[in-house]
Amino acid sequence: KAQHRRYCIIAKNFSIKILALAKIPNRLMKFNLFGGRFMDNAMFCFQCQETAGNKGCTIKGVCGKEPQTARFMDMLMYATRGLAAVNYKLREKGLACKDAEHLILDALFSTITNANFDDNALKAKIAKTFSHKDELIAYAKENGVALPEMDEIWFKVEQHDYLSFNDKVGVLSETNEDVRSLKQLIVYGVKGLAAYVEHALNLNFEDDEIYLVMEEALYAVSSHDLSADELTAMVLKVGSAGVKGMALLDKANTTTYGNPEITKVNLGVRNNPGILISGHDLKDLEELLEQTQGTGVDVYTHGEMLPANSYPFFKKYPNFVGNYGGSWWHQKEEFSTFNGPILFTTNCIVPPKADANYIGKIFTTGSAGLPGAIHIAPREQGKQKDFSPVIAMAKQCQPPQEFEKGELIAGFAHHQVLQLADKVIDAVKQGAIKKFVVMAGCDGRMKSRSYYTEFAEALPQDSVILTAGCAKYRYNKLPLGDIGGIPRVLDAGQCNDSYSLVVIALALKDAFGLEDVNQLPIVYNIAWYEQKAVIVLLALLSLGVKNIHLGPTLPAFLSPNVVNVLVQNFGIGGISTVEEDIKNWIA
Ligand code: FSO
Ligand code: SF4
C-alpha cells in the first residue's frame, strides 16, 4: 500500500508538472491519476474509434468537440434517458407518446460522433427534452401510471446548470468498469439505431417495437439493479432491434426509391455551379433535387451519399451529376476545390479551420449542426424543407474544379446481387470464388487504416469483397478486376446497407443447403469508427454471426472483461498485419 501511495503521489506530481508546462488554461481540468483513471476531467468521451490514446478524450475531442459541447451532450443523454424511462412506463399501459419517440431519436442522433457541434442547438434540445418529460410525468400521474424512483426521472436541472453535474450525468458516473462498459455498449448501439430509424421516419416508416426496445434499453442504462448478465442480454436485444431497424430503413428506401441497380457513377464534373450533398438522408436528397430542377445548379454526392446514385428514382434528375471526392475525413481538401455550398444531412462533419475557403458555405439540416453553418429547418407537415438558401448561394459560386475522372461501379444491394445469384453460386461451385470477405463499416483518419487498402490488394484473385459504408473508399477505386463478370468489390451501399450483406449471406446459406451462416466461406473484417458501426456489429452478433474481426482498434469502451465475454461467446477478434491476417483467415 505504501509503495502504491508513493507511485500515486509521483504520478500526481508528474501530471501537475506536465499541465503546468503545457499551460493548459482550462480551470475545469483536474487530473487524478490514482489507479490510472482520469476523473473530473474537462470532458470524457470514448464513444468512437479515434478517441484520444484509445482511452478517452478528456481535454478536447479528437473530432473537434469542445469540452462544453461534450458536457451538453452528456446532459442531453441524461435528459433523454429520463424521457425514455417515462415513455417506457407509459407504453406499458398503451399510453406512449409519439412526440417523445421522435425527440429521443433526434437527441440520440445529435450526440453521435461528428453529427452536431452546435451548443445552442444542443441547449435547446436539452430544454425541450426536460420540459416534455415533465409534461409526461404529469400525464402519467393523471392516468395512474406509477413511475420508479430514478434520478433521471425526478432530478431537476435548470438551464444555468446544464454544464454542472457532469460527475452525475457523464459516462464516468458509473464507477464499475464492466457495468459502464456494458451500459455504454447499449447506449452506443441505441444511438446508431436511432440514426437509421430517423431516416426511415423521414420516409414515413416506423415500428413501435423498435421504439419499445430503445426505451427499454435506455431505462436499463439508468437502472442500478441490473446484473451483468441482464445487461448482456440487453446488448443482444438492442442488436436484434438493429436488424429490424436496418430492415425498416431498407424497406423505406427501396419502397420509395426502387431497388438499387448496377450503376456506373460519374466521378467527373460539369461546367455548372454545384451543390455537394453529404450524409445519409435520401429524403433530403430527393427534395434538394426537386428544388434544383431548372435552376442551372448541379447536385453531386459526397461520402456516404454516393450510393444514392444507384437508386432508379434519382436517375430521372438531369442535374444529378455523380459523386465528388472520397470518404468523410477528406472533406477539408475536397470542399475547398468544390467551390459550391455543401449540405450535411448527417455526420460525419469535420469542423473547418478558421481560414478554410469554404467557411460560410456549409449548411446543415436534421440532427446535424455546426456553429456558423446555416441550419435548414425541419419540414413542416405536408411540405418540403426549404433549400432555397443553398440554391441561391450555389448560383453565386464557380463550378467545381475537377478532382478526378472516370466512373465507379456501385449498386450491389441485396436485390441486385440476388438477381446474379445463379452466376455467383456457379462461380463458388466451380471454385472460381473461394472466399467472400465482408469489409463493411467506416473509414477514418488513422494512418493504420492503410491496412484495409493493403488487405484488399493482397487478397487472392478468387475472393470477392462485400462492402457497405464509407469503409469502401479505402479500396473501391483499386483495379481489382472481376471474376467471370462479377466485380471483386460488391458495394451494397451505405453502412445501414450492411443489412443487404446479411440478406445475401442468408440467401447463400440456403442455396448451399447449410444449417448455419457461419459455415459459409465468409470472413468478416469490419472497420468501425462511430456508433452506427456499433449497431451493425450488435445486429450481426444477434444473428449468430461469429468470428468477426474488428479494427483498426478494439473499442476503448469495452473493458477487458467485456472483451473476454465477446471473445468467448462470439469469437470476436482484432486485426494484426496484412500478411498474418491473410495467412490465418484466407489461406
Ligand atoms: Fe461513415 Fe460517418 Fe455511414 Fe458513419 S460517413 S462513419 S458508421 O457516419 O455512418 O459509414
Ligand atoms: Fe473523442 Fe470520438 Fe468522443 Fe469525439 S466522439 S470526443 S473523438 S471519443
Side-chain angles (χ1 to χ4, degrees), residues 196 280 304 328 347-348 441-443 469-471 495 529-530 532-533:
Y196 295 155
H280 305 66
E304 273 285 71
W328 64 271
N347 57 340
C348 285
C442 324
D443 196 10
C470 59
C495 45
Y529 170 55
E530 47 94 337
K532 284 180 245 174

Side-chain angles (χ1 to χ4, degrees), residues 4-5 8-9 11-12 31-39:
H4 176 74
R5 208 172 301 131
C8 290
I9 290 166
K12 197 179 177 193
F31 279 82
N32 180 350
L33 288 176
F34 284 68
R37 201 159 70 78
F38 293 100
M39 289 179 67

Side-chain angles (χ1 to χ4, degrees), residues 101-313:
E101 291 166 355
H102 299 167
L103 278 177
I104 293 166
L105 287 186
D106 178 54
L108 290 164
F109 199 171
S110 304
T111 60
I112 275 184
T113 300
N114 280 345
N116 200 317
F117 296 87
D118 185 349
D119 289 353
N120 288 333
L122 292 169
K123 278 190 272 184
K125 286 173 202 272
I126 297 168
K128 205 165 173 188
T129 308
F130 276 134
S131 87
H132 200 72
K133 183 193 70 176
D134 289 344
E135 283 171 26
L136 289 193
I137 289 174
Y139 182 60
K141 273 188 195 149
E142 278 166 29
N143 287 279
V145 177
L147 296 174
E149 285 308 315
M150 191 175 255
D151 266 7
E152 281 80 351
I153 296 178
W154 301 110
F155 186 63
K156 291 267 178 216
V157 187
E158 301 300 331
Q159 286 229 8
H160 53 80
D161 272 334
Y162 285 173
L163 290 176
S164 315
F165 306 118
N166 204 248
D167 289 352
K168 186 182 180 71
V169 307
V171 170
L172 295 181
S173 61
E174 174 56 68
T175 51
N176 179 306
E177 189 190 23
D178 297 326
V179 173
R180 185 197 310 142
S181 177
L182 287 168
K183 286 188 171 180
Q184 292 311 314
L185 184 54
I186 292 169
V187 168
Y188 302 150
V190 171
K191 284 189 183 190
L193 176 55
Y196 295 155
V197 172
E198 191 173 297
H199 296 308
L201 172 64
N202 291 341
L203 295 170
N204 296 321
F205 282 73
E206 287 188 272
D207 180 346
D208 280 353
E209 282 182 35
I210 299 176
Y211 292 136
L212 165 68
V213 176
M214 293 174 83
E215 288 164 6
E216 188 185 358
L218 293 173
Y219 182 80
V221 169
S222 301
S223 157
H224 292 290
D225 37 47
L226 291 186
S227 66
D229 284 350
E230 287 167 315
L231 289 171
T232 308
M234 183 51 72
V235 169
L236 290 180
K237 199 166 183 178
V238 170
S240 299
V243 179
K244 276 193 186 154
M246 285 192 278
L248 182 74
L249 180 52
D250 180 79
K251 192 171 160 202
N253 286 341
T254 56
T255 308
T256 317
Y257 303 118
N259 277 298
E261 55 197 14
I262 300 175
T263 303
K264 287 181 178 166
V265 182
N266 170 40
L267 301 177
V269 297
R270 299 200 309 199
N271 204 22
N272 302 319
I275 296 171
L276 193 56
I277 177 167
S278 181
H280 305 66
D281 198 276
L282 298 186
K283 185 70 185 169
D284 287 334
L285 173 66
E286 178 195 335
E287 293 179 354
L288 180 67
L289 284 169
E290 207 46 57
Q291 293 172 35
T292 46
Q293 289 313 289
T295 62
V297 172
D298 286 340
V299 174
Y300 297 77
T301 56
H302 188 263
E304 273 285 71
M305 199 55 90
L306 160 71
N309 288 279
S310 309
Y311 284 88
F313 181 92

Side-chain angles (χ1 to χ4, degrees), residues 43-52 56-57 60-65 70 111-114 445 529 531:
M43 61 179 282
F44 186 86
C45 180
F46 62 173
Q47 65 178 355
C48 84
Q49 190 273 327
E50 292 187 357
T51 193
C57 296
K60 183 181 172 174
V62 173
C63 58
K65 188 158 79 181
T111 60
I112 275 184
T113 300
N114 280 345
R445 287 168 279 219
Y529 170 55
Q531 298 79 58

Side-chain angles (χ1 to χ4, degrees), residues 549-570:
H549 300 276
L550 197 60
T553 51
L554 289 181
F557 56 81
L558 295 180
S559 69
N561 287 332
V562 172
V563 170
N564 279 342
V565 170
L566 294 175
V567 171
Q568 280 162 18
N569 294 304
F570 300 101

